[in-house]
Amino acid sequence: MSENTPITVAYGDGIGPEIMIATLDIINAAGAKLDIEVIEIGENVYNRGNDTGIEDSSWDSLLKTRVFLKAPITTPQGGGFKSLNVTARRTLGLYANVRPCVSYNPYVQTKHPIMDVVIIRENEEDLYAGIEHRQTDQVMQCLKLISEPGSEKIIRYAFEYARANNRKKVTCFMKDNIMKLTDGLFHKVFDKVGEEYPDIEKENWIVDIGAAKLATSPEAFDVIVMENLYGDILSDVTAQMTGSVGLAGSANIGDKCAMFEAIHGSAPRRAGQNSANPSGLLLGAVMMLTHIDQPEIAAKVHNAWLKTLEDGIHTYDIFREGVSKQKVGTKEFAKAVIERLGQKPKELKEVEYKRFDVKSNPANDYRNIKKAKKETVGVDIFIHWTEGTAGELGEKLRNVLAEGLQMTMISNRGTKVWPVGKVEPFCVDHWRCRYESVKNGEPITHNMIVEQLSKLHEAGYDFIKLENLCTFDGVPGFSLTKGQ
Ligand code: NAD
C-alpha cells in the first residue's frame, strides 16, 4: 500500500496556477508524501453556467481525500454566483478557520515588528447562517444564531491548537455587554472549557476595545478565538498588519475534512507575469502537512522559507531597497526556497511542528442532552403598522387580547415606546408587542398564543412573526427591552 496521503488540489484562477506550481514544487522537493488528485474550480466552471464554481463530480474527490489544497479563484462580477468558500465550508463542515499572522521584522516592513498572533474564527454560525428576512417596508432582519455545541467546538479547538503549538494564552473576543444571550453564551462556554486547560492563560476582551488593542499592541496577544463575523473582519485586519496579504495562509478545519489556502485572492492583474508571491499558499500547505501527519516536512519547508526571507530574496510585494538583496519572480523564489531546504533561519524564530488530533466534538449530542424545565411565560408578536403614533397603537391594542393575556409593552427597534414615556420616540413601521399572563409571571399556553394571533388578525393587524418568551429551569431566555 502507498505511504502517500491522497489530497485534492485545485489550481484556481489568476495567479493561482503559478503559486500552486511553486508551492507543489517546494513541498515535493522537501519530501512530502502525496497522491494528488486535481479538480477544476472557479471562473471556467462558473462560466459554464454552474453557479457554485465547482462541478458535482469534484465533491467525490474531496469527500474521498478529505484534504483540499486550494489556490484562489476569481468570482465573476454580477449577481447569481455563490461563494465557493462559503459552499465548501458548509458542505464539508469546516467549522474552524485558523489564520496565523506573523511579523517578519526587519525583513518585511511592518508597523508592528513584534507580532505572532493566531486568529481562530468560528466558521458555521453567527450572522453567516444566511437567514435574512424583509419584514416590513422599512425593516430587514438577519438572524444571529450561536449554539452551545458550536461554541464548544471552536473554543475547544482553540485550546487544543494552543496546547499543541506551545502557545501560552487564549483570548476570547465577544460583545456580551450588549448581546447578553448570544455572546454571553460564547463567553460562558469559553470560561467552562477553559477550566480544562489549566496550563494555558485565559483572558477575554469586549471585541471593540480588544480590536483596538490588537491594532496597536498585537504583541499582547497569542491565540484569539472569535465568533464568525468578528473573526472575518479581524483576521483580515491582522493579516494586513504583518506587512503583506501575500504572506498569510489559512486552514479551514472540520471533523472529517480540511481545506488549506492563501488568504489573498486571485490578483487577476498579476496573472501570468511570474511576479506573485507564493508564500501565502505555501504556508497554507505547511498547515496541511501538519494536518496529514507530516510535521517534519512542514517544519523543513517553513524553516527554508524563513531562511529565504532572511537572505533578502523577495518578491515585488515585500521588496524594499536597502533590506532586500534580490527581487525575484514566483519561480525564482520557489527555487531559492528549495535550495535552502534543510537550513534554518538565524534571526527569525525557527519553527517546530507536531501532529495534533483535536478532540473538539462536544460530549453531548442534541438528541441525548439533559433538557432544562422549559416554561413559556409570554410572547412577543411583531406587527407591521403605519397608522399612527406609539401611544395610539398601545391604546388600540390594549383591548385586543386573548383570554388570560395582558399586553405589557410595545417596543420599536428594541426601545420601549408604550406605555409612552416622557418623549415621543422616533419610530419605524415595525412594532414588537409583548404579551404575558394576567397572573404576573405565570406560564401561558400555546393555545393562548394562537388565540392572540387570531384576535390580532380579526382586528386587521398584520402580524409578521412571533418569538416565545421562555424560562429554562426558571432562568429567563429572553432579553428585557431597553427602557423596560
Ligand atoms: P486580491 O487578494 O486578489 O488582490 C489584492 C491586492 O493584493 C492586489 O493588489 C494584488 O496584486 C495583491 N496580491 C494578492 N495576492 C498577492 C500575491 N500572492 N503576491 C503579490 N501580490 C498579491 O483581492 P481582489 O483584487 O479584491 O480580488 C481578486 C479576485 O480574487 C476576485 O475575483 C475575488 O473574488 C477573488 N478572491 C478569491 C479568494 C479565494 O479564492 N479564497 C479570496 C479573496 C478574493
Side-chain angles (χ1 to χ4, degrees), residues 12-13 15 19 41 43 70-77 84-85 89 236 240 244-247 259 261-271 275-281 315-318 330:
D13 301 316
I15 59 170
I19 60 174
I41 57 169
E43 218 172 4
K70 171 181 164 290
I73 60 160
T74 303
T75 313
Q77 300 275 308
L84 179 59
N85 268 17
R89 283 175 193 158
D236 267 15
Q240 187 70 50
S244 169
V245 283
L247 290 176
M259 176 170 93
E261 59 183 346
I263 68 155
H264 58 74
S266 59
R269 275 180 295 163
R270 291 266 156 199
S275 66
N277 188 347
S279 300
L281 187 60
T315 43
Y316 83 94
D317 55 317
I318 56 170
T330 315

Side-chain angles (χ1 to χ4, degrees), residues 205-269:
W205 287 81
I206 299 293
V207 61
D208 40 29
I209 191 64
K213 172 95 174 159
L214 176 64
T216 48
S217 316
E219 67 281 0
F221 295 97
D222 194 344
V223 174
I224 314 180
V225 64
M226 299 180 219
E227 290 167 13
N228 208 340
L229 177 65
Y230 310 142
D232 190 2
I233 298 166
L234 290 179
S235 60
D236 267 15
V237 171
T238 317
Q240 187 70 50
M241 282 161 55
T242 66
S244 169
V245 283
L247 290 176
S250 124
N252 291 277
I253 307 286
D255 290 331
K256 300 197 175 78
C257 300
M259 176 170 93
F260 303 87
E261 59 183 346
I263 68 155
H264 58 74
S266 59
R269 275 180 295 163

Side-chain angles (χ1 to χ4, degrees), residues 264-336:
H264 58 74
S266 59
R269 275 180 295 163
R270 291 266 156 199
Q273 295 167 24
N274 187 39
S275 66
N277 188 347
S279 300
L281 187 60
L282 184 66
L283 293 184
V286 164
M287 286 194 260
M288 177 190 78
L289 290 167
T290 63
H291 178 81
I292 60 173
D293 210 7
Q294 301 186 25
E296 298 83 11
I297 312 288
K300 192 172 172 186
V301 169
H302 200 151
N303 285 323
W305 176 79
L306 289 168
K307 182 74 169 62
T308 311
L309 281 193
E310 258 184 25
D311 287 348
I313 300 172
H314 294 167
T315 43
Y316 83 94
D317 55 317
I318 56 170
F319 184 86
R320 194 158 50 109
E321 286 300 345
V323 175
S324 308
K325 300 262 163 27
Q326 206 185 338
K327 192 191 274 185
V328 291
T330 315
K331 284 183 195 156
E332 295 72 28
F333 183 81
K335 188 162 167 276

Side-chain angles (χ1 to χ4, degrees), residues 163-166 290 295 352-356:
R163 197 176 257 176
N165 290 282
N166 221 7
T290 63
E352 276 177 53
Y353 285 115
K354 61 179 182 197
R355 160 96 168 113
F356 70 105

Side-chain angles (χ1 to χ4, degrees), residues 103-174:
S103 286
Y104 304 100
N105 184 65
Y107 307 101
V108 179
Q109 195 168 26
T110 164
K111 292 185 183 128
H112 300 286
I114 309 170
M115 174 165 168
D116 186 357
V117 179
V118 181
I119 307 278
I120 299 194
R121 162 190 170 194
E122 201 287 322
N123 241 351
E124 292 184 308
E125 302 197 336
D126 197 0
L127 291 156
Y128 288 57
I131 308 176
E132 290 196 295
H133 295 98
R134 179 171 182 174
Q135 296 189 325
T136 65
D137 290 304
Q138 296 179 316
V139 175
M140 312 283 179
Q141 173 189 269
C142 177
L143 212 56
K144 169 161 172 152
L145 293 176
I146 301 292
S147 76
E148 188 173 342
S151 303
E152 187 179 338
K153 272 171 95 133
I154 191 70
I155 288 165
R156 193 173 291 285
Y157 184 90
F159 279 107
E160 288 289 326
Y161 179 96
R163 197 176 257 176
N165 290 282
N166 221 7
R167 300 254 170 186
K168 305 289 175 249
K169 182 166 77 173
V170 178
T171 304
C172 177
F173 277 10
M174 33 67 214

